[in-house]
Amino acid sequence: MINLLAAFGLSAATGLNAYLPLLIVGLLARFTDLVVLKAPWDTLANPWVLGVLAVLLVIEMTVDKIPAVDSVNDTIQTVVRPAAGAILFAASANVISEMSPVLAMICGLLMAGGVHAAKATVRPVITATTVGVGNPIISTIEDVVSGMTTLVAILLPGLAAVIVVLIAAAFAWWLVRRRRCRATASGA
């Protein structure tokens, strides 16, 4: 059960930033015993793969802070983030042996895809309401949350599950608040 919670935390983190969780897992698998990846997922610890992930991470972290460009990036990442979530869910230690690989990848895809959809929905609103000034701030917060969620999912998987629930609750609250504001504005 702990491994399943870790898998959900890792895939949720990829919904915010695809490459940071992949890079963290790859580095931890390469240099520590905290993460043990079974074949074929152990490819994430390959130095060339780590290098490519590092370059992609720098690109992602840069373009995600630029208004309008971040929306284009989110469109591109609609495929990448859920795929990364599927990979990390399936690659999580021992989950693949306890669960069908196809089911594991579907769970990761849905979790990362859901978090990405929430992010992609909120970002244009932030750009419009802050005239782009809020983008670098929100993007940095997303990167920190993605990195911290990844580390927590590996070190304290139960806490990762709580974080995922809190993020989902915050997004639901924001949606309800937004709908109420629209209803109030159209009724006035």
Side-chain angles (χ1 to χ4, degrees):
M1 185 66 172
I2 294 294
N3 291 328
L4 190 61
L5 294 175
F8 274 110
L10 289 171
S11 59
T14 63
L16 294 173
N17 185 318
Y19 308 111
L20 184 58
L22 288 169
L23 184 61
I24 290 171
V25 168
L27 288 169
L28 288 175
R30 180 154 181 85
F31 297 110
T32 73
D33 292 332
L34 290 172
V35 175
V36 177
L37 298 172
K38 297 178 184 177
W41 313 113
D42 59 344
T43 306
L44 282 173
N46 179 294
W48 286 102
V49 172
L50 292 172
V52 169
L53 287 173
V55 169
L56 291 171
L57 177 61
V58 169
I59 293 168
E60 160 104 8
M61 291 178 96
T62 303
V63 301
D64 201 42
K65 290 167 180 54
I66 302 168
V69 177
D70 68 332
S71 294
V72 172
N73 182 52
D74 280 340
T75 301
I76 294 166
Q77 296 299 323
T78 298
V79 174
V80 176
R81 289 180 185 142
I87 289 167
L88 282 183
F89 197 104
S92 294
N94 299 325
V95 171
I96 200 80
S97 63
E98 297 168 9
M99 176 185 278
S100 159
V102 174
L103 180 59
M105 292 190 83
I106 290 170
C107 287
L109 185 109
L110 291 174
M111 177 58 92
V115 172
H116 169 71
K119 174 186 174 170
T121 301
V122 172
R123 277 319 251 332
V125 175
I126 291 168
T127 300
T129 58
T130 66
V131 194
V133 174
N135 288 47
I137 297 164
I138 295 300
S139 177
T140 302
I141 292 169
E142 290 167 352
D143 294 339
V144 169
V145 168
S146 178
M148 293 304 295
T149 302
T150 300
L151 292 172
V152 169
I154 293 166
L155 302 173
L156 302 165
L159 183 58
V162 171
I163 290 171
V164 169
V165 169
L166 289 174
I167 290 170
F171 180 68
W173 172 80
W174 177 82
L175 279 177
V176 168
R177 186 172 164 254
R178 183 171 177 206
R179 286 185 182 149
R180 284 185 186 155
C181 288
R182 282 186 178 174
T184 303
S186 64

